[in-house]
Amino acid sequence: MIRLAVIGRNFVVDSMIEAMKHVPELELCGICSRSAEGAREFGERYGIDPAHRYVGIHALAHAEDIDAVYIATPNTVHAAQAVAMLESGKHVLVEKPAAVSAKELGHMTAAAKRNGKILMEAMMPLYTPAFAVAKRLIRNIAPVRCATLSYRQYSSRYDALKQGKVENAFNPELGGGALTDLGVYCAAVAEGLFGTPHRIGAEAMFLETGVDGLGSASLMYNGMMADLTYSKICDGARGAEICGEEGVITLDSVSRPRYVTLRLRSGGVRRYDGDRLDLERFDIKRLDDDALASIELDADGHTPSDAVQPLPTMTHELRHFVHLVEHGSVQLAGFDLAHTEGVAAILDGIAHCCDIKHGAKK
Amino acid sequence: MIRLAVIGRNFVVDSMIEAMKHVPELELCGICSRSAEGAREFGERYGIDPAHRYVGIHALAHAEDIDAVYIATPNTVHAAQAVAMLESGKHVLVEKPAAVSAKELGHMTAAAKRNGKILMEAMMPLYTPAFAVAKRLIRNIAPVRCATLSYRQYSSRYDALKQGKVENAFNPELGGGALTDLGVYCAAVAEGLFGTPHRIGAEAMFLETGVDGLGSASLMYNGMMADLTYSKICDGARGAEICGEEGVITLDSVSRPRYVTLRLRSGGVRRYDGDRLDLERFDIKRLDDDALASIELDADGHTPSDAVQPLPTMTHELRHFVHLVEHGSVQLAGFDLAHTEGVAAILDGIAHCCDIKHGAKK
């Protein structure tokens, strides 16, 4: 059993705790907040023993009966908190973006390796069955020539912003903005599918608070390019489109992919429902053609009536985190860390192109 | 009756002549080819009197019983041919892109004004009912914050290219490539909906022949940006997505739009079928809410069973050309020319960003 404490009270924490119910190896044992009031309120909501309601990072660092932490605080404090937790011998699952720069991420990965503890970014889409299906299907359309990965969502906090109230997600001092909040998903999916680009071009549109409200980027690879488009101030209806010489693959969402469609130029359309994959521990290596056939949808593209009830999307990343912790190997986490470093480098590149600064007013 | 001659034997000419059957004011009276053999072959195919099978531009220029020409030759020769036709007193409908640079287009527009003749670019989507519906609906989602206009289509000529045969569409000396062939549609729709951008960023991927095989561009406006993505070496499934703070409008295609979808953030989805608009001469000013309601699709987004048989898409641009010629006013064509100049400026900007050169080896 992995005894886990949560740092932060962002609304994403509620979703994570809901997903935790589907991961029996994880036990929600503690919560940590900046204030006694926050710790009390959050502790009561989730029935956490008062002895495990920590006020401030240092109190949590000294707790010996906590094995791992989940960090969901503002982006600019991820690095310091993660390093403190790793140094005190705890495994760390940190919300995206793991850090606001590749340099900060470097401090975190160094601390993980120094202490032999797991550091993993909670990059939701990468651990979903649908992502693995898409990655597996790419060979059918090879060579890939271009892709558009899009995540546009009108933020509920934008209404507050228009009324003059700057919440974290729109606060540049806390690493807010469209790139770190939504663009990071597009970058992670691009990195996961295509690797590290050799050049980046990007544009952004800034809001009055100084954060980027929306933007787009072109990641240039050998023989292909991937366009990322993201916005926090308007909705969009599209996920990912991956275009190869032999066909097109689409994902319904970049952040929470479930449905994958394969259109071959030679004719024929196939759709897959990632939530119908019946794999106890999801492993792309086991995703052979037979497994793919078994999750195919019916002919008109709808989910069959016996469709499974999907797990909360975050369940997949939690299961992967448990897998890493249980095998107790930093090397095992190396693949995930290399990916996170790749994403951080892409975000650095985009921020450089657009002159996006995080925490600049500190 | 407008007596029209066609210059060029591109496959698009067949589509145009098919569309002409729906425009009684136009009479196909002549064809013009570089060679006697080409003129004979094409003339026979369309039953053109041998006296009106012109070999070479100058022969056509001297023909007095031709009122207008349609130019569908390689892009790099549009300007010289259009100027010759305008100088000889003929109205000109020219395939997209009207010219391979704003400078060349300037020579063409000057010739049109000097001779009091109509010059119009055959920019298919802009004259469709669906485009007008989308433009009309934008007020419902205002302010628009971003858009993606995408046209990706695996070219049948790409197979030839892979076998070592360079056809016009992939020949840089003739102004081929993804930007001039497909990106121009994205640029034209962006210009038509949003006007002239104040800044452009762009990336391209080049093929061995020296043309751009695909690319993307970001057009920056005050308070919004529009991303264009286009490719000639792989398919894509998407048209246009226009995102405003109050909702999202999608078009099924950038080049041949028919279906328009409006999703309001406040709830509700409405779909429109542009081909059900019952307007004799399509005029966006007459497109009031009642007209829009009349073409709405049924609740599940399908076309009602009494769906009209659509006209060939090119019919709309031909009708507009006839309207301009019949009213005989260069001023009347001023709006169209200003738009074409805007598109040429966008193409110039993208070509500059990506170092795309047309006819460089001449």
Side-chain angles (χ1 to χ4, degrees):
Chain A
M1 181 66 73
I2 301 163
R3 297 164 298 180
L4 183 117
V6 168
I7 311 177
R9 298 194 294 136
N10 192 308
F11 74 98
V12 73
V13 171
D14 297 316
S15 302
M16 186 58 94
I17 290 174
E18 184 63 29
M20 237 177 257
K21 294 175 184 169
H22 299 272
V23 187
E25 299 90 340
L26 280 179
E27 184 188 0
L28 178 62
C29 273
I31 59 99
C32 178
S33 182
R34 277 177 303 175
S35 67
E37 175 58 22
R40 190 189 60 74
E41 189 275 331
F42 214 59
E44 282 180 3
R45 192 192 320 171
Y46 287 106
I48 303 292
D49 185 294
H52 292 129
R53 298 176 191 169
Y54 305 98
V55 179
I57 286 297
H58 297 293
L60 176 57
H62 287 98
E64 291 187 353
D65 49 359
I66 297 294
D67 304 309
V69 300
Y70 166 58
I71 299 177
T73 48
N75 301 333
T76 44
V77 299
H78 285 179
Q81 292 179 343
V83 168
M85 292 300 113
L86 291 162
E87 297 287 7
S88 72
K90 296 170 180 63
H91 301 292
V92 170
L93 178 67
V94 58
E95 257 311 316
K96 37 65 50 182
V100 293
S101 70
K103 187 180 168 189
E104 284 199 352
L105 181 64
H107 299 320
M108 297 160 72
T109 56
K113 288 169 187 167
R114 195 161 55 235
N115 294 281
K117 295 295 166 185
I118 301 300
L119 170 67
M120 178 183 141
E121 184 180 42
M123 182 47 75
M124 190 158 51
L126 295 197
Y127 301 102
T128 59
F131 176 81
V133 171
K135 188 159 182 163
R136 165 65 184 73
L137 288 174
I138 277 181
R139 71 176 75 164
N140 297 62
I141 63 166
V144 170
R145 290 309 204 161
C146 55
T148 303
L149 309 164
S150 186
Y151 192 4
R152 289 166 170 161
Q153 190 168 65
Y154 186 98
S155 168
S156 57
R157 287 80 173 272
Y158 186 46
D159 285 328
L161 186 74
K162 287 196 277 193
Q163 288 161 15
K165 185 161 179 257
V166 181
E167 301 196 14
N168 293 0
F170 285 104
N171 189 341
E173 296 180 48
L174 297 176
L179 175 62
T180 51
D181 199 23
L182 305 184
V184 64
Y185 286 112
C186 305
V189 170
E191 214 281 344
L193 294 175
F194 314 123
T196 306
H198 63 71
R199 191 165 54 82
I200 294 173
E203 297 284 353
M205 210 186 79
F206 291 87
L207 304 179
E208 284 182 13
T209 63
V211 298
D212 57 319
L214 58 84
S216 70
S218 295
L219 312 187
M220 309 302 292
Y221 297 86
N222 284 329
M224 69 157 288
M225 63 185 287
D227 292 301
L228 321 181
T229 64
Y230 43 91
S231 169
K232 280 182 74 66
I233 62 172
C234 53
D235 287 325
R238 294 173 173 176
E241 179 176 67
I242 304 153
C243 308
E245 290 194 5
E246 299 307 321
V248 180
I249 293 168
T250 55
L251 275 166
D252 59 335
S253 162
V254 162
S255 63
R256 294 173 175 268
R258 176 172 175 180
Y259 296 107
V260 185
T261 305
L262 169 68
R263 286 182 182 80
L264 291 175
R265 193 161 60 80
S266 59
V269 180
R270 288 161 65 100
R271 288 190 76 222
Y272 303 91
D273 177 352
D275 280 328
R276 288 172 62 81
L277 268 178
D278 186 22
L279 301 177
E280 176 66 13
R281 277 279 182 276
F282 187 74
D283 181 353
I284 192 169
K285 297 189 193 77
R286 289 155 61 190
L287 196 60
D288 57 16
D289 287 332
D290 287 342
L292 281 177
S294 74
I295 56 161
E296 192 168 359
L297 303 192
D298 58 13
D300 56 356
H302 294 299
T303 310
S305 56
D306 64 341
V308 296
Q309 183 63 27
L311 291 168
T313 313
M314 285 176 161
T315 311
H316 303 295
E317 69 200 66
L318 284 176
R319 287 182 173 177
H320 189 80
F321 181 64
V322 164
H323 179 70
L324 294 178
V325 169
E326 286 188 340
H327 288 75
S329 157
V330 180
Q331 280 71 35
L332 195 67
F335 175 81
D336 301 87
L337 283 181
H339 169 81
T340 302
E341 287 169 348
V343 175
I346 293 173
L347 261 54
D348 269 11
I350 296 174
H352 177 77
C353 286
C354 307
D355 202 23
I356 294 172
K357 292 184 172 65
H358 299 299
K361 292 183 184 172
K362 262 194 286 194
Chain B
M1 184 64 76
I2 300 163
R3 297 164 297 178
L4 184 118
V6 168
I7 311 176
R9 298 194 294 137
N10 191 309
F11 73 98
V12 74
V13 171
D14 297 316
S15 303
M16 186 59 94
I17 290 173
E18 184 63 29
M20 237 177 257
K21 295 175 183 168
H22 300 270
V23 188
E25 299 90 339
L26 279 178
E27 183 189 0
L28 178 60
C29 272
I31 59 98
C32 177
S33 181
R34 278 176 302 177
S35 67
E37 174 57 24
R40 190 190 58 75
E41 188 276 331
F42 215 58
E44 282 180 4
R45 191 189 324 170
Y46 287 106
I48 303 290
D49 185 295
H52 292 129
R53 299 175 191 170
Y54 305 97
V55 180
I57 286 296
H58 296 293
L60 177 57
H62 287 98
E64 290 188 355
D65 47 1
I66 297 293
D67 304 309
V69 299
Y70 165 58
I71 299 177
T73 47
N75 301 332
T76 45
V77 299
H78 286 179
Q81 293 179 342
V83 168
M85 291 301 114
L86 291 161
E87 297 288 7
S88 72
K90 295 170 181 64
H91 302 290
V92 170
L93 178 66
V94 58
E95 257 312 318
K96 37 62 55 180
V100 294
S101 71
K103 187 180 168 188
E104 284 199 352
L105 182 64
H107 298 322
M108 297 159 73
T109 57
K113 288 169 186 168
R114 195 163 53 237
N115 293 281
K117 295 294 164 186
I118 301 299
L119 169 68
M120 181 184 139
E121 184 181 42
M123 182 45 75
M124 191 159 49
L126 296 196
Y127 301 101
T128 61
F131 175 81
V133 171
K135 187 159 183 165
R136 165 64 184 75
L137 288 175
I138 277 182
R139 72 176 76 166
N140 297 62
I141 63 165
V144 170
R145 290 308 203 161
C146 53
T148 303
L149 309 164
S150 188
Y151 192 3
R152 290 166 171 160
Q153 190 168 65
Y154 185 99
S155 168
S156 57
R157 286 80 173 271
Y158 186 46
D159 285 327
L161 187 74
K162 288 196 278 192
Q163 288 161 15
K165 183 158 180 260
V166 181
E167 301 197 13
N168 293 359
F170 285 103
N171 189 341
E173 297 181 49
L174 297 176
L179 175 62
T180 51
D181 200 23
L182 304 184
V184 64
Y185 286 113
C186 306
V189 170
E191 214 280 347
L193 293 175
F194 313 124
T196 306
H198 62 70
R199 192 164 54 80
I200 293 173
E203 298 284 353
M205 210 185 79
F206 292 86
L207 304 179
E208 284 181 14
T209 61
V211 297
D212 57 318
L214 57 85
S216 71
S218 295
L219 312 186
M220 309 302 292
Y221 297 87
N222 283 329
M224 70 158 287
M225 63 186 286
D227 292 301
L228 321 181
T229 64
Y230 43 90
S231 169
K232 279 183 75 67
I233 63 171
C234 52
D235 286 325
R238 294 173 172 177
E241 178 175 68
I242 304 153
C243 308
E245 290 194 6
E246 299 307 321
V248 180
I249 293 167
T250 55
L251 275 167
D252 59 334
S253 162
V254 162
S255 63
R256 294 173 176 267
R258 175 172 176 180
Y259 296 108
V260 186
T261 305
L262 170 67
R263 286 180 183 79
L264 291 176
R265 193 160 60 80
S266 60
V269 180
R270 288 160 66 99
R271 288 190 76 223
Y272 303 90
D273 177 352
D275 280 327
R276 287 174 61 80
L277 269 176
D278 186 21
L279 301 177
E280 175 65 14
R281 277 279 182 278
F282 187 72
D283 182 350
I284 192 170
K285 297 187 193 79
R286 289 154 61 189
L287 194 61
D288 57 16
D289 288 332
D290 287 344
L292 281 176
S294 72
I295 56 159
E296 192 167 0
L297 303 193
D298 58 14
D300 57 355
H302 295 301
T303 310
S305 55
D306 62 342
V308 295
Q309 183 64 27
L311 290 167
T313 313
M314 284 177 161
T315 311
H316 303 294
E317 69 200 68
L318 284 176
R319 287 182 173 177
H320 188 81
F321 181 64
V322 164
H323 178 70
L324 294 177
V325 169
E326 287 189 338
H327 287 75
S329 157
V330 180
Q331 280 70 37
L332 195 67
F335 173 82
D336 302 85
L337 283 181
H339 170 81
T340 302
E341 286 169 348
V343 175
I346 292 173
L347 262 55
D348 269 10
I350 295 174
H352 177 77
C353 286
C354 307
D355 202 24
I356 294 171
K357 291 184 173 67
H358 300 298
K361 293 184 185 173
K362 262 193 285 193

